[in-house]
Amino acid sequence: SSINDKLDNISQRLDTSERRISDIEDRVYHIENVISEVHWLREKCDDLENRAWRSNLRIVGLPEGTEGRDPVTFVEKLLVEVLGEATFPGRVEIERAHRAPCQKEGEWPQIIIFKLLRFPDKIHILRRARELGQLTFRNQKIFFFPDVSSELQAKQREFTEARHLCHSLHLPFSLLHPAKLHVSLQDGPKFFTNPEEVIRFLKRLPDPPLMSGEKSEGRE
């Protein structure tokens, strides 16, 4: 009888444990679903944010106050002066422009963000900037970059080592939107969305000759 009582007690405890485990599994499943949904919503918000900034560009390197009280007119004149009038068949139009706030006074890089009225003008600006190489304005080095979210910037920075490898191997490449590396090889182009995968691939390559008529170049 004592043994039976002990067995009954063990059986009851096992039943209780199984119910608790089942409850915990249900809660974990629910939490995992919530986390997955939150992750999806964050990616969706990030995508919408970058779509809203599709026609935006950043100018990096201009000292504070260079733009004066009318940043829109200032940027329109700067583009023509730095990139040349031939870059724009007609007048380049800026919808709005503003100075991105710095966390500390005098902090570098100092950034002006502007939104172009026409998206093709953004493409012309980036292409022309790459063609000209190092740009200067009033003896200051300046750079043009697409205006993207911090999350997308982090994803693009993950390709930094891969881009350095492409340079060292003399392989033409470009970083496509949102975060895809295009590498030109003799047997055709390859596209990578995983930074570790492209690094492994490039490290396995022999030192290939540069393709005729092509230069190693990168695009931010």
Side-chain angles (χ1 to χ4, degrees), residues 15-194:
D15 289 341
T16 301
S17 297
E18 287 178 352
R19 286 195 298 271
R20 289 179 177 176
I21 291 172
S22 178
D23 290 342
I24 292 172
E25 287 177 341
D26 290 341
R27 292 178 184 178
V28 169
Y29 177 76
H30 175 70
I31 291 172
E32 288 177 343
N33 284 339
V34 171
I35 291 174
S36 177
E37 185 174 355
V38 169
H39 180 69
W40 181 84
L41 288 172
R42 287 186 62 181
E43 288 189 338
K44 187 69 174 178
C45 288
D46 187 60
D47 179 64
L48 291 172
E49 184 177 29
N50 285 297
R51 288 178 184 273
W53 296 352
R54 185 169 179 262
S55 296
N56 288 15
L57 281 175
R58 294 184 174 211
I59 307 175
V60 179
L62 290 172
E64 189 78 27
T66 308
E67 69 278 14
R69 296 185 177 181
D70 187 357
V72 170
T73 301
F74 169 79
V75 171
E76 289 178 349
K77 292 180 178 179
L78 177 145
L79 292 173
V80 174
E81 180 177 338
V82 172
L83 303 178
E85 295 184 6
T87 305
F88 311 101
R91 174 174 171 263
V92 59
E93 295 184 69
I94 309 296
E95 283 193 29
R96 56 182 179 269
H98 67 275
R99 172 77 63 172
C102 295
Q103 294 182 354
K104 298 179 182 179
E105 186 176 353
E107 182 182 34
W108 198 94
Q110 297 180 16
I111 300 168
I112 290 179
I113 301 173
F114 63 97
K115 180 178 177 62
L116 291 145
L117 180 63
R118 290 176 288 273
F119 176 75
D121 284 340
K122 172 184 176 179
I123 303 302
H124 294 154
I125 290 169
L126 292 174
R127 183 180 296 124
R128 183 59 175 161
R130 288 196 302 273
E131 291 172 353
L132 293 174
Q134 180 61 67
L135 302 174
T136 59
F137 179 75
R138 298 177 185 173
N139 298 321
Q140 292 286 336
K141 292 181 179 180
I142 63 171
F143 307 87
F144 289 94
F145 296 102
D147 185 30
V148 297
S149 67
S150 56
E151 288 82 1
L152 184 52
Q153 286 183 37
K155 290 180 181 178
Q156 293 177 345
R157 278 196 297 268
E158 292 176 358
F159 285 94
T160 299
E161 182 180 351
R163 284 154 44 198
H164 289 165
L165 282 171
C166 287
H167 274 301
S168 65
L169 294 170
H170 305 295
L171 292 175
F173 71 92
S174 58
L175 185 58
L176 306 178
H177 184 82
K180 179 188 293 186
L181 190 69
H182 164 253
V183 182
S184 296
L185 301 168
Q186 288 184 329
D187 57 351
K190 287 189 178 294
F191 299 88
F192 301 89
T193 56
N194 186 315

